[in-house]
């Protein structure tokens, strides 16, 4: 099924992990893709080749999402690449593991500037394009289960994702008259480079798995399937929502 025929999608932070899986999934369903990362490397080159092999167009644009100027020119160049933009997947994100009392201003800024500020102004640039060109744009934000549940030692990360929950609800309401939909996807524990230190720590991993009713980690493809749904017309009546992809982690409770 080609749900994204004649559509162009920008996926931020798509060199690896969930972003790469989203880019491939949207391309497999017909979209031309703007890939993004801070630097084009062999992973980006490989993705371009894979997308081209699917019969779609792909270009990689370097940009640092934590810098507003960089993110707004990314959106402008993405629009230029194939003449328009229909779908924005705000995937780029960072997390830092620190005791709350040891978080520096630089740690805080990096997380907030990437996960919230860059996303905010990138979305603003995309929305201006959609309104000016009467495009029924779709925004899918990569949030986290931590827009809802706590994550001790990741205070700025939780603050950024909690803010993203409200931003999405607010934008969904404000942009509905323009036929622009905005939703969040909230992955739980997914095997990706963002949590490689956890994945390499057997004890921590066992504790985490014990907390997940499905007793396994998710894959980037599990997340990409929901992103594709939300970006597609199948979700035409869905806006301002968060879809959890977490094997049951968020609302897990059991009496021993
Ligand atoms: C974080 C992961 C974490 C998972 C479940 C995600 O948002 O990026 O590091 O393992 O939430 O807590």
């Amino acid at each position: 099924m080609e749900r994204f025929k004649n559509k162009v999608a920008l996926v931020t932070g798509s060199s690896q992990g969930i972003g790469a899986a989203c880019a491939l999934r949207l391309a497999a369903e017909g979209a031309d893709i703007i890939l993004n990362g801070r630097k084009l490397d062999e992973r980006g080159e490989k993705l371009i080749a894979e997308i081209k092999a699917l019969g779609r167009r792909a270009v990689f644009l370097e940009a640092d999402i934590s810098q507003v100027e960089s993110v707004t020119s990314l959106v402008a160049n993405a629009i230029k690449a194939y003449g328009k933009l229909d779908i924005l997947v705000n995937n780029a994100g960072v997390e830092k593991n620190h005791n709350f009392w040891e978080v520096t201003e630089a740690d805080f800024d990096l997380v907030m500037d990437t996960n919230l500020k860059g996303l905010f102004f990138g979305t603003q640039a995309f929305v201006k394009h959609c309104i000016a060109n009467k495009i029924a744009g779709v925004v899918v934000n990569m949030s986290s289960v931590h827009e809802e549940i706590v994550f001790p030692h990741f205070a700025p990360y939780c603050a950024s994702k909690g803010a993203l929950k409200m931003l999405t609800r607010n934008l969904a309401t404000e942009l509905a008259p323009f036929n622009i939909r905005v939703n969040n996807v909230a992955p739980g524990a997914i095997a990706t480079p963002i949590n490689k230190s956890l994945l390499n720590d057997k004890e921590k991993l066992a504790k985490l798995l014990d907390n997940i009713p499905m007793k396994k980690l998710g894959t980037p493809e599990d997340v990409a399937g929901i992103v594709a749904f939300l970006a597609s017309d199948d979700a035409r009546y869905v806006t301002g929502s968060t879809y959890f992809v977490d094997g049951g982690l968020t609302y897990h409770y059991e009496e021993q």
Side-chain angles (χ1 to χ4, degrees), residues 94-95 143-147 149-151 154 157 161 186-190 192 194-196 198-199 208 212 217 249:
V94 291
E95 67 183 33
S143 182
S144 162
V145 292
H146 301 298
E147 71 161 51
I149 60 173
V150 303
F151 197 9
F154 289 82
Y157 184 72
K161 298 301 184 181
I190 311 294
T192 72
I194 206 173
N195 51 22
K196 66 173 181 293
L198 168 99
L199 301 178
L208 172 64
I212 302 173
L217 298 176
L249 170 70

Side-chain angles (χ1 to χ4, degrees), residues 76-92:
N77 291 329
I79 293 164
K80 271 192 214 138
Y82 303 126
K84 64 156 184 165
L85 203 53
D86 306 279
I87 298 164
L88 172 63
V89 180
N90 283 314
N91 170 75

